[in-house]
Amino acid sequence: QVHLVESGGGLVQAGGSLSLSCTGFGRTFTWYNMGWFRQAPGKEREFVGVIGWSGGTTVYADSVKGRFTVSRDNGKNTAYLQMMSLKPEDTAVYYCAATQKSGLTHDYAYDYWGQGTQVTVSS
């Protein structure tokens, strides 16, 4: 089992930047692909980005491509989501998740989830 703890988040003005961290405790962090999802009020949870276990592969949702970057430091058991050029529509609770499965853009593929952290972008 992997216990994921998120940090970062907060309030930022449109056009600003913010970074989230997700640290894994328990089983070997490098066994897992690490995904990021978000859920805005009244909306379904949606895929944001994912990074493969080695860090060599990343996939992004079209809505964040070119603005968000997913990275990881396996020595620190931590994955990161760097967000730039933030828009009010990026406002949501952001979650990190871990999986050893394929289908990485779908939340049902993930076995372990962080507690979520609020990101609010003001206009």
Side-chain angles (χ1 to χ4, degrees):
Q1 188 169 352
V2 175
H3 180 56
L4 301 175
V5 178
E6 298 181 45
S7 59
L11 175 64
V12 64
Q13 287 188 331
S17 301
L18 210 56
S19 291
L20 307 181
S21 298
C22 174
T23 301
F25 300 90
R27 300 188 72 181
T28 305
F29 187 73
T30 52
W31 291 356
Y32 296 91
N33 305 306
M34 296 299 299
W36 290 91
F37 291 79
R38 66 186 182 185
Q39 187 167 21
K43 295 187 177 181
E44 293 187 353
R45 187 161 54 191
E46 65 172 355
F47 170 75
V48 173
V50 61
I51 186 166
W53 64 271
S54 68
T57 303
T58 54
V59 178
Y60 297 94
D62 288 343
S63 59
V64 306
K65 202 172 293 183
R67 300 188 299 120
F68 289 14
T69 302
V70 179
S71 61
R72 66 190 296 163
D73 184 340
N74 286 337
K76 295 182 178 180
N77 287 354
T78 300
Y80 305 94
L81 178 65
Q82 182 176 6
M83 303 178 288
M84 302 176 65
S85 302
L86 283 160
K87 305 174 182 179
E89 51 263 43
D90 294 319
T91 295
V93 176
Y94 282 71
Y95 299 89
C96 66
T99 183
Q100 293 179 292
K101 304 185 185 76
S102 58
L104 302 178
T105 62
H106 301 285
D107 58 0
Y108 57 72
Y110 290 80
D111 298 308
Y112 306 105
W113 291 83
Q115 79 279 11
T117 187
Q118 177 71 46
V119 172
T120 303
V121 185
S122 63
S123 57

